[in-house]
Amino acid sequence: MFWKGLFAGTVGTEAPAGVAEHEVLITEWTTPKGERLPIYFSTTREIDVYALEALCDAVGWAKRPLRKVRKALACSFLVGSLWLEKQPQRRLIGFARATSDHAFNATIWDVVIHPEFQGKGLGKALMRQMIRELRQQEISNITLFADPHVVSFYEELGFHADPEGIKGMFWYPS
Ligand SMILES: CC(C)(COP(=O)(O)OP(=O)(O)OC[C@H]1O[C@@H](n2cnc3c(N)ncnc32)[C@H](O)[C@@H]1OP(=O)(O)O)[C@@H](O)C(=O)NCCC(=O)NCCS
């Protein structure tokens, strides 16, 4: 089956007491000064659109009108974020969101890890948490649009390009 194998193994452990229910400890991050700081995944923390756009800017994405970013967040089915915790501060270092029909289908958008934190497994952990959350909501069909250079990243997570010959099709205003 198409989705078989997507959920082999879970990532992280449940958050300890005092941390919101939807927050999952992903890993501990060692800073250049040798401090060990936790990184949490959350689906409930409020996203500051300025911090989000700074994150997207850090990977070279085009700027978007903040009014539309706020609307996209408010209308998303699932908003997942990764946070580096250094009490009393927390830093947004990863983000993904999904839109959905709330029954069968969800599409994941805006997957991003800050360049300082890339290549250490956090992108995969973020995606696995997104998939886990969507599966918990009984969504069985998860899709996304992959830039050509990240196809293998998504394939390693169990996504298939053009399954059974299906093609994504786009309409743009001419
Ligand atoms: C793509 C992205 C989210 C991956 O996050 P990450 O934390 O660097 O990825 P991870 O460390 O979890 O996993 C990297 C794995 O994916 C593979 N990979 C394939 N293409 C990759 C790419 N373009 N960038 C990073 N990893 C890539 C790596 O080889 C690695 O495999 P391995 O675990 O077998 O060694 C991150 O690089 C990013 O934010 N890129 C800029 C924004 C972007 O392109 N987003 C996707 C839009 S569709």
Side-chain angles (χ1 to χ4, degrees), residues 4-8 119 121 123-125 127-128 131 144 146 149-161:
K4 196 175 165 193
L6 264 186
F7 312 109
K124 281 184 178 171
M127 284 298 296
R128 288 193 176 117
I131 292 164
L144 53 77
H149 66 286
V150 284
V151 167
S152 62
F153 167 73
Y154 291 120
E155 282 177 340
E156 285 179 31
L157 288 156
F159 286 86
H160 297 257

Side-chain angles (χ1 to χ4, degrees), residues 1 24 28 39 51 74 76 85-86 100 105 124 131 135 146 164:
M1 263 300 285
V24 177
E28 280 196 326
I39 292 177
S76 290
E85 301 276 341
K86 187 178 178 185
S100 176
N105 303 290
K124 281 184 178 171
I131 292 164
R135 293 292 291 156
E164 295 161 29

